[in-house]
Amino acid sequence: MSFRLYDAHNHLQDARLKLHREAILAALQKEGVTGMVVNGSCEADWPEVLALARSCPEVIPSFGYHPWYVKERSPDWQAALLRHLDAVPSAIGEVGLDRWIKDHDPEQQEEVFAWQLRLAAERNLPVSIHCLQAWGRLLEILRAGPRPRCGFLLHSFGGPRELIAPLAELGAYFSLPGYFAHERKARQRETFQHVPPDRLLIETDAPDQLLPAERIQYPLADPATGKAINHPANLGAVYRFAAELLGEPLEALAERVGENFRRLFGAVSEARGANPKAETRSPKEARNPKPE
């Protein structure tokens, strides 16, 4: 494409993409992907996200404990998270609440999410939030605060249309995945037609959330299973889907989404551009929440 693309949420560190990584990075450059937020999900993958951030200037690293993995956290998880955040300018995520997964523990999820949200607020870092079947509770926690002044991302927003306004008032940005192009996702498509123009972002969530087959520009398979997975360079196809959905010229949409992306993640991106290996703040300078 002749304009810049920004992926608000992916998992480039995922093991399913590792064998393909060199080709993936070449395709991303060809497609004009200027920035992408690569989200860690647990202690096990944070080092891989950090390594990608140090080798790829387009990567904005994000470190967080995903609600699916909170039961696996170590006693030192908070210190480990702080070490990664201090290693490079970064965001916080993927974090959140999930009532959909089997045998979920709401109390543990909320404890871990609340601590990370406070950390994002104290450092004023953008935070990427996952939420499934817990929208009312998420709204309560966000309203109770604190929240980062720069705002937060609702990754693959699937909540009800009625929550867009109150969430936007609290600082939310709403990220549209290509997965919502599937015919069965009509409700989610209708919801995104009501997202404020200055709060729309676009994501791949690669290697997950595949586009419909006819929209896939870069087919890819998991080397271990042969199962189709989402190539991060399908970002351009997601932009085209968004332009169709919203009835906008593609280039105008891309310009607006770029402005939104830079507003939310720009401070982290600029800090990385100035000195990608510099620490955001020393541990003595950071006002960190005390472990609970």
Side-chain angles (χ1 to χ4, degrees):
M1 291 193 180
S2 60
F3 36 83
R4 296 176 178 179
L5 303 180
Y6 297 88
D7 191 345
H9 189 104
N10 75 26
H11 298 275
L12 185 62
Q13 83 282 4
D14 193 287
R16 291 169 290 173
L17 297 176
K18 193 165 188 176
L19 185 66
H20 306 288
R21 191 166 292 157
E22 186 175 344
I24 286 171
L25 291 172
L28 290 168
Q29 185 174 20
K30 177 183 175 183
E31 289 295 306
V33 178
T34 302
M36 52 183 165
V37 182
V38 177
N39 292 265
S41 301
C42 60
E43 290 161 89
D45 71 359
W46 294 343
E48 188 73 14
V49 174
L50 179 58
L52 281 169
R54 285 176 164 160
S55 63
C56 304
E58 302 85 3
V59 167
I60 297 174
S62 190
F63 304 102
Y65 240 111
H66 192 292
W68 290 1
Y69 306 114
V70 296
K71 293 181 181 179
E72 303 170 15
R73 69 195 189 279
S74 75
D76 299 320
W77 74 271
Q78 292 156 320
L81 178 57
L82 293 172
R83 284 196 302 272
H84 284 84
L85 290 171
D86 286 335
V88 288
S90 50
I92 291 179
E94 179 177 355
V95 305
L97 305 175
D98 193 309
R99 304 297 191 253
W100 172 79
I101 57 169
K102 186 178 179 181
D103 299 326
H104 64 271
D105 186 325
E107 186 175 336
Q108 283 193 50
Q109 285 189 14
E110 289 189 19
E111 176 186 342
V112 172
F113 174 56
W115 190 87
Q116 293 175 107
L117 189 62
R118 287 200 302 276
L119 178 61
E122 293 200 7
R123 294 190 172 203
N124 194 30
L125 297 177
V127 57
S128 184
I129 297 175
H130 165 111
C131 185
L132 281 175
Q133 299 183 9
W135 291 104
R137 183 59 182 143
L138 177 66
L139 182 61
E140 290 174 355
I141 292 172
L142 290 170
R143 278 179 167 161
R147 303 177 303 277
R149 297 184 305 280
C150 62
F152 55 90
L153 174 71
L154 295 174
H155 141 64
S156 294
F157 177 69
R161 170 183 164 184
E162 293 74 21
L163 286 187
I164 291 175
L167 287 166
E169 186 177 350
L170 296 174
Y173 289 74
F174 304 83
S175 188
L176 175 68
Y179 188 67
F180 288 175
H182 285 274
E183 186 175 351
R184 63 184 178 276
K185 294 295 180 179
R187 180 189 66 81
Q188 288 85 349
R189 290 194 298 276
E190 195 277 335
T191 295
F192 264 89
Q193 291 176 334
H194 300 278
V195 167
D198 64 344
R199 298 301 179 89
L200 175 69
L201 290 171
I202 290 175
E203 65 172 79
T204 62
D205 197 27
D208 296 312
Q209 297 213 78
L210 278 165
L211 290 136
E214 66 275 11
R215 290 183 178 269
I216 293 173
Q217 184 178 359
Y218 289 88
L220 193 63
D222 181 345
T225 66
K227 184 178 179 181
I229 56 177
N230 194 9
H231 193 302
N234 283 317
L235 182 62
V238 186
Y239 268 74
R240 286 188 285 273
F241 156 58
E244 292 173 19
L245 175 65
L246 300 174
E248 292 187 37
L250 181 57
E251 188 166 359
L253 175 72
E255 182 177 352
R256 177 161 58 83
V257 169
E259 290 173 357
N260 296 346
F261 185 95
R262 291 187 294 272
R263 191 182 315 115
L264 181 57
F265 294 105
V268 176
S269 183
E270 289 172 12
R272 279 183 46 70
N275 187 356
K277 295 187 179 181
E279 294 187 353
T280 49
R281 284 191 283 177
S282 71
K284 290 183 179 178
E285 292 173 318
R287 296 186 299 113
N288 299 323
K290 297 196 179 296
E292 294 178 346

